[in-house]
Amino acid sequence: MNAATKPVLLAALLGLAACAQPAPPAPPVVDPYASVGGGAVFQGDLAGGTLTAEATAQYFQTTVGDTVLFPADQTTLTPEARAVLARQAAWLTRHPGFTAVVQGHAEETGTREFNLGLGARRASAVQEYLVANGVAPNRIRTLSFGKERPAATCSDESCYAQNRRTVTVVTEAAPSQSPVAQVPMAQAPIAQAPIAQAGAGL
């Protein structure tokens, strides 16, 4: 390298150094639990809407539990059934905007009439338990399918045990409609049937 090229090379190196980008500054550290007024308060982001997730029919079905099983030919509530129904009653009490239909079912053995009656008594037993635990009677109605809608189809005890059940189906009640003003109907003239003349057609 001769003396004439040294200044050119030095200028090029200085030019490259001037174009180099500085390292970005580190992001500031944010304490989401910053102290405010002598206490720690969470100030970070929190997804909304999670507190009302249980107010759905799907939550009732999957988390609360909508099915109660019965022993053969029985309408007596077992301790397991009472535990499920206590959760149902608590949920219905927390969510007064829902109504419930208790569907009674039976296994395939027995006559159609017997199983319809058995399903109705099972549904009534569930309804009475829910009412006794604080649910308004006018929010619950019962329905019996007897053996017409089995949960499992086979001819042994493994299926019979699944079909001896009640299923509580909840539905969000429609908002009440505002009263409709009574509009008097137009008074249409009433057609008068001709009075038969005495002796006419004789």
Side-chain angles (χ1 to χ4, degrees), residues 103-106 143 145-153 162-163 165:
Q103 301 174 346
H105 299 270
L143 185 65
F145 288 108
K147 60 181 181 180
E148 305 301 326
R149 294 190 181 185
T153 52
Q162 298 177 61
N163 295 332
R165 72 196 193 282

Side-chain angles (χ1 to χ4, degrees), residues 130-148:
L130 293 175
V131 170
N133 281 272
V135 183
N138 63 353
R139 294 176 58 200
I140 309 170
R141 64 185 179 94
T142 61
L143 185 65
S144 177
F145 288 108
K147 60 181 181 180
E148 305 301 326

Side-chain angles (χ1 to χ4, degrees), residues 69-112:
L69 300 177
F70 290 83
D73 297 335
Q74 295 294 315
T75 60
T76 304
L77 297 173
T78 65
E80 293 80 12
R82 291 172 186 268
V84 173
L85 294 176
R87 293 198 303 270
Q88 290 185 7
W91 188 91
L92 286 165
T93 302
R94 286 195 306 272
H95 303 289
F98 283 80
T99 59
V101 177
V102 182
Q103 301 174 346
H105 299 270
E107 65 186 61
E108 68 178 272
T109 59
T111 64
R112 180 175 182 272

